[in-house]
Amino acid sequence: MTAPFTPTAPGLDLFAAEPFHDSGPLCTSASAPALGDTVEVRLWVPDLWHASAVALRQVRDGEPVATALERGPADGAGHWFTGEVLVHNPVTRYRFCVVGSQDPSAPSPLPYAWVTAAGVRDHDVTDAEDFTLIAHTPAPDWVADAIVYQIFPDRFARAAHSPTTADGLPDLDLPDWAEPMRWSDPASEDGHRNGVQLFGGDLDGIIEHLDHIQGLGADTVYLTPIFPAGSVHRYDASAFERVDPLLGGDDALARLSAALHERGMRLILDLTTNHTGDRHAWFQAALADPTAPERDFYLFSGDGDDYVGWLGVPSLPKLDHRAPAMRRALYEGADSVTAHWLAEPFSADGWRIDVANMTGRHGAQDLAHEVARTMRRTLGRQHWLIAEHGHDATRDLDGDGWHGTMNYAGFTRPLWAWLADPDSDLNWLGLPMSIPRLPGGAATRTLRGVNAQMPYPSRLHSQNLLSSHDTPRIRTVTGDAGRTRVALGLLACLPGVPTLFAGDELGLHGLNGEHSRTPMPWDLIDGSGPASAVTAIDHDALTTVQRSFAARAASPALRRGGIRWIAATADALVFVRTHPEGSVLIHAARTAHDAIEVPTDLLLGTVRAQNPSAALLHVGGAAWADGAGVLRLSAEGPGLSALPLTDLT
């Protein structure tokens, strides 16, 4: 079910004509309640539905409980209804039922409808789509306001004092696997070759470019692994107790952390809890002696040397989380690796967990929830715990484990499918096909449906990514500078923590995850070097990032608000980030489109901005006109506008 009425514009889904509730502060009195609390919830129902009754259905101790909602005052073309949800269980699910009028002279669109986190349904659905309240200790408060900048350390920057040869190669004590590269050399598309191409980026090089990062509006730096390993990506760690000397060692990390915190910024590190490298001291001890304690750290078959490698890769032996000694060494308690890097002088502010979706899972073994819960206890209340996850993360977010996920499924994939180059031959994130180009309605259904499966606080504390070190770059995905700017605007406007992969602010290209690990072209940024097809800088993208992040920082709605979908056509997405301190309407267009007309009374507000200079954010060819009770949204080309609204209440 999309809209209950026949839209006037071809292909228009007018979601504004549906009953509305979201999990933001406009519609719920508490986002992080304690067990036993009562939370007030509010639902808006258009008068066109002729509702004879509105009920709240919640689940207590596994049993559905329905209560009637109290009808409140009119607002716009409908009425608000109010009810209470008792947070009786740590995870409390609820939804609403709107019952149609029994008066044949005032026919309702539907006999009854369920209002769920995924939208309005004209039939019974499972509890998976319900709104969810979580009574567990919430993520740190700062996460909702964070803007993250992701760095692949070897490819970001060499420090000014980093030694190089006359040919521009890193002049370091290189391991046997490393192939030294000039900073201007291309990054290989081949995974094995790329993994050994050492360009010589280091942690002190990051310190020297913090002005650039902070100038974008980012306040949190996330580093891919920094431990010694058998590759430059370092996901095959040979030790967890020290920083790779190639990056500057422990002292360099302490300097970077201090420099970030002096600026009021934060540091997130990357840990592999699913596997180590085969050079790791634990694994070498396990191979050398079948009776060694480290033998239990891995999934061996009997007394022989047969073991499980992650995805069958022998250089990545998989950890066995049934081993108490391994858990204590890696992530359980104050003496663990996890706790060590949170303490001074390193003072990391959280961990991103690599392959979190497979951690503790193998065959009949499933300890992923216990791993997440244990790590969360080790981190405490002020540190962020983010999980890598490439698909539906529902099972891993509905409780007291990971605070959030890398939201590839509920952000990256739908936006790629909507904004992709129609002629793209890039791989569709692992599927045996190129990226499809879907209409806005399909993208909206994914943005609503996938994210409905997770508690809203988990969504707000998840990373939104347009690209990463594991994917093609967004500029290559869209094939167009204008659509790239729309994507960068949406990065700041949709719920979640914006996470920008270093180089995307420059419009860098990348054909796959390996090729995307291109060294930052600092010579082009300062104007001292020649451009190329890979490293040509898009200054409009840079400006868009700065303006988008500034808009997010200025708006409680964009940082912490709920979301109400208003309309979608093939080429446009329209939604409102709702918040009592001021809501914001976002209109995103992937290309020119005819006007979308939204009745102002269904919008529950009017646009304050009369021209682009008054918009919170305006990019490209989006346009609007508000008058005579109708908001008209159009576009002459790719564009995005974020427009302050009058109070939705």
Side-chain angles (χ1 to χ4, degrees), residues 74-165:
D75 197 339
H79 285 75
W80 287 97
F81 291 77
T82 308
E84 292 183 340
V85 176
L86 174 64
V87 184
H88 181 66
N89 304 108
V91 178
T92 299
R93 301 187 186 280
Y94 69 95
R95 66 170 92 154
F96 302 93
C97 184
V98 178
V99 181
S101 173
Q102 306 305 307
D103 182 355
S105 66
S108 302
L110 297 169
Y112 77 102
W114 290 110
V115 182
T116 75
V120 176
R121 304 302 192 198
D122 61 357
H123 58 280
D124 289 350
V125 293
T126 71
D127 294 358
E129 294 186 0
D130 283 5
F131 299 99
T132 308
L133 291 170
I134 301 293
H136 296 294
T137 302
D141 186 65
W142 61 263
V143 175
D145 298 327
I147 296 175
V148 177
Y149 190 76
Q150 181 193 357
I151 292 176
F152 190 89
D154 181 65
R155 311 291 166 84
F156 187 68
R158 294 175 181 169
H161 64 262
S162 181
T164 57
T165 68

Side-chain angles (χ1 to χ4, degrees), residues 357-592:
N357 57 306
M358 296 182 71
T359 291
R361 289 184 170 129
H362 180 68
Q365 180 190 141
D366 190 345
L367 299 174
H369 292 282
E370 183 58 34
V371 174
R373 282 193 290 268
T374 302
M375 292 198 75
R376 190 154 162 179
R377 288 194 295 269
T378 299
L379 266 65
R381 299 177 67 99
Q382 296 305 313
H383 298 94
W384 189 22
L385 185 59
I386 192 80
E388 181 190 24
H389 209 301
H391 56 100
D392 179 8
T394 304
R395 292 179 58 201
D396 297 334
L397 295 176
D398 205 4
D400 56 352
W402 319 118
H403 290 132
T405 183
M406 301 179 80
N407 200 3
Y408 288 109
F411 183 86
T412 315
R413 290 179 64 91
L415 291 190
W416 277 23
W418 186 56
L419 294 170
D421 181 350
D423 299 321
S424 173
D425 59 359
L426 296 176
N427 179 260
W428 182 220
L429 290 175
L431 291 177
M433 60 182 291
S434 57
I435 302 173
R437 193 169 195 258
L438 300 181
T444 300
R445 285 188 286 276
T446 299
L447 287 164
R448 299 182 82 177
V450 171
N451 290 300
Q453 309 298 311
M454 67 174 76
Y456 198 68
S458 295
R459 184 179 184 187
L460 288 181
H461 301 136
S462 290
Q463 289 180 311
N464 288 343
L465 311 98
L466 295 171
S467 48
S468 74
H469 66 294
D470 284 329
T471 74
R473 285 193 180 268
I474 185 62
R475 179 63 177 82
T476 307
V477 170
T478 67
D480 177 79
R483 289 194 296 270
T484 300
R485 291 194 288 275
V486 173
L488 293 169
L490 287 170
L491 183 65
C493 291
L494 281 164
V497 181
T499 302
L500 187 77
F501 181 37
D504 279 353
E505 73 272 27
L506 308 175
L508 298 189
H509 287 258
L511 297 171
N512 58 26
E514 310 297 336
H515 190 234
S516 293
R517 301 171 189 181
T518 302
M520 285 285 284
W522 296 111
D523 59 334
L524 300 184
I525 297 172
D526 64 21
S528 64
S532 72
V534 173
T535 56
I537 291 178
D538 182 346
H539 291 280
D540 287 339
L542 182 61
T543 301
T544 299
V545 168
Q546 293 168 328
R547 293 174 58 201
S548 297
F549 288 173
R552 185 179 191 273
S555 170
L558 296 187
R559 300 193 311 274
R560 295 169 176 262
I563 182 169
R564 180 191 181 203
W565 286 94
I566 298 298
T569 65
D571 297 318
L573 307 178
V574 185
F575 57 93
V576 172
R577 296 298 308 279
T578 62
H579 197 281
E581 295 181 25
S583 297
V584 179
L585 181 139
I586 290 89
H587 164 220
R590 68 179 180 183
T591 190

Side-chain angles (χ1 to χ4, degrees), residues 233-252:
H233 58 68
R234 297 183 172 88
Y235 285 106
D236 54 341
S238 59
F240 293 127
E241 297 80 15
R242 62 185 184 277
V243 175
D244 194 333
L246 294 171
L247 296 176
D250 289 10
D251 289 344

